[in-house]
Amino acid sequence: MKSFLHMLLLGLVLALGPMAGSQAADKPAAVLFHADWCLNCKLMKPRLAALQQQYGDRVEFIRVDYTTDAGRAEGKALAKARGFAKLYGENRATGWVALLKPDGTEAGALHVTMEDAEMQRALEDLLAASESS
């Protein structure tokens, strides 16, 4: 039964993915590569929540979950729909945030070692790069 539900959910993600991707493609994105067991993810969570409050109307905040097979399948479908499938396929790390222009090209990153002001500056740079493209 659990396997059936995972497949049903994956089917919905695949069916709705392109529509969701096209709706969000006008905004840059901050993509957290996450796993439940990842310490950096836990440390980044409150900081990203604060950034999302400040930038959420201009930047799409996405969480790609590597914790389970179902999460990885959903993440892969989302990455394909949102235009960062290559980055998703090449990435093996969690606990960091990829900053993507609306077309899916990488424009920077956020790491747990960054100060809050550095993260804000990186998001401002992302917005500026997205406007000039």
Side-chain angles (χ1 to χ4, degrees), residues 48-128:
L48 289 175
L51 290 170
Q52 187 170 7
Q53 279 190 318
Q54 186 175 357
Y55 292 94
D57 60 331
R58 298 175 287 160
V59 176
E60 180 185 12
F61 284 78
I62 300 170
R63 186 177 93 164
V64 177
D65 194 347
Y66 281 88
T67 305
T68 64
D69 289 340
R72 285 187 291 279
E74 290 172 29
K76 186 176 182 178
L78 177 61
K80 183 178 178 185
R82 189 60 172 81
F84 62 97
K86 183 176 189 254
L87 174 65
Y88 180 87
E90 293 172 351
N91 181 55
R92 298 288 177 256
T94 59
W96 70 286
V97 176
L99 300 179
L100 307 175
K101 292 191 231 180
D103 66 3
T105 58
E106 206 170 344
L110 303 180
H111 298 278
V112 72
T113 58
M114 296 172 81
E115 298 291 330
D116 291 345
E118 289 177 286
M119 289 185 178
Q120 290 172 338
R121 194 172 22 236
L123 287 170
E124 293 294 336
D125 290 347
L126 172 64
L127 289 167

Side-chain angles (χ1 to χ4, degrees), residues 8-24 77-78 81-82:
L8 180 62
L9 180 59
L10 178 59
L12 286 172
V13 167
L14 290 173
L16 297 175
M19 182 172 50
S22 64
Q23 289 174 342
L78 177 61
R82 189 60 172 81

Side-chain angles (χ1 to χ4, degrees), residues 32-35 38-46 94-96:
L32 170 64
F33 291 90
H34 173 271
C38 172
L39 177 60
N40 285 345
C41 298
K42 292 173 185 178
L43 294 172
M44 289 284 279
K45 187 177 179 179
T94 59
W96 70 286

